[in-house]
Amino acid sequence: RRLMDFEIVSEEDIHKAMDWLQKSANECAKDKATLDYLNAYTKPCKALLMKKFSHLPISAQTREAEAHEDYIKHIESVKTASEKHYKNQFFRETALAKIEIWRTQNANFRAMKI
């Protein structure tokens, strides 16, 4: 499975990569949608919390909102969703890279036969 110090990507590897890409598509889409939603909700979340402190100057409203337990929980949710999204993204990129390597290998093998 090695040729000139490079690992050969097998057809089995490609089938596994394709299966994973197909089976994970819905989950990856949901994870990305969750991340997009949480990012979009960050400003309204902060604004709603600032409203609770409307009797304070703007800078104090901002400080209180950003230190509020609900805002901190929201930011932690964004972090969790980001980790999940990026993990999926990196797995997808790896699967796509394997497929591209396999294509290149096969093109090279065909060229060597000529």
Side-chain angles (χ1 to χ4, degrees):
R1 288 200 44 159
R2 292 180 78 68
L3 179 67
M4 295 188 280
D5 293 331
F6 292 102
E7 182 86 17
I8 301 297
V9 177
S10 70
E11 284 195 40
E12 181 183 343
D13 294 334
I14 297 310
H15 289 296
K16 286 179 183 177
M18 292 296 293
D19 285 345
W20 187 86
L21 287 168
Q22 187 176 21
K23 290 176 181 174
S24 68
N26 285 335
E27 180 184 343
C28 291
K30 287 178 183 178
D31 291 344
K32 176 66 170 131
T34 298
L35 178 59
D36 290 349
Y37 171 81
L38 288 169
N39 281 327
Y41 184 68
T42 299
K43 285 184 179 181
C45 177
K46 184 175 174 179
L48 290 168
L49 291 169
M50 287 176 72
K51 196 173 180 182
K52 290 182 177 184
F53 303 99
S54 59
H55 60 282
L56 299 173
I58 293 292
S59 60
Q61 290 177 31
T62 301
R63 180 193 66 228
E64 294 301 319
E66 289 176 349
H68 196 278
E69 178 183 342
D70 291 347
Y71 189 77
I72 293 169
K73 284 181 184 176
H74 171 73
I75 296 301
E76 288 171 354
S77 295
V78 171
K79 177 183 179 270
T80 300
S82 293
E83 288 173 352
K84 196 169 184 185
H85 166 68
Y86 286 119
K87 179 181 174 184
N88 286 334
Q89 180 180 337
F90 296 146
F91 279 139
R92 291 184 67 77
E93 288 173 7
T94 300
L96 293 170
K98 277 185 183 179
I99 293 166
E100 195 55 40
I101 291 166
W102 180 80
R103 284 182 185 159
T104 302
Q105 285 174 179
N106 283 317
N108 290 341
F109 290 148
R110 283 192 301 276
M112 288 174 17
K113 288 181 182 179
I114 294 177

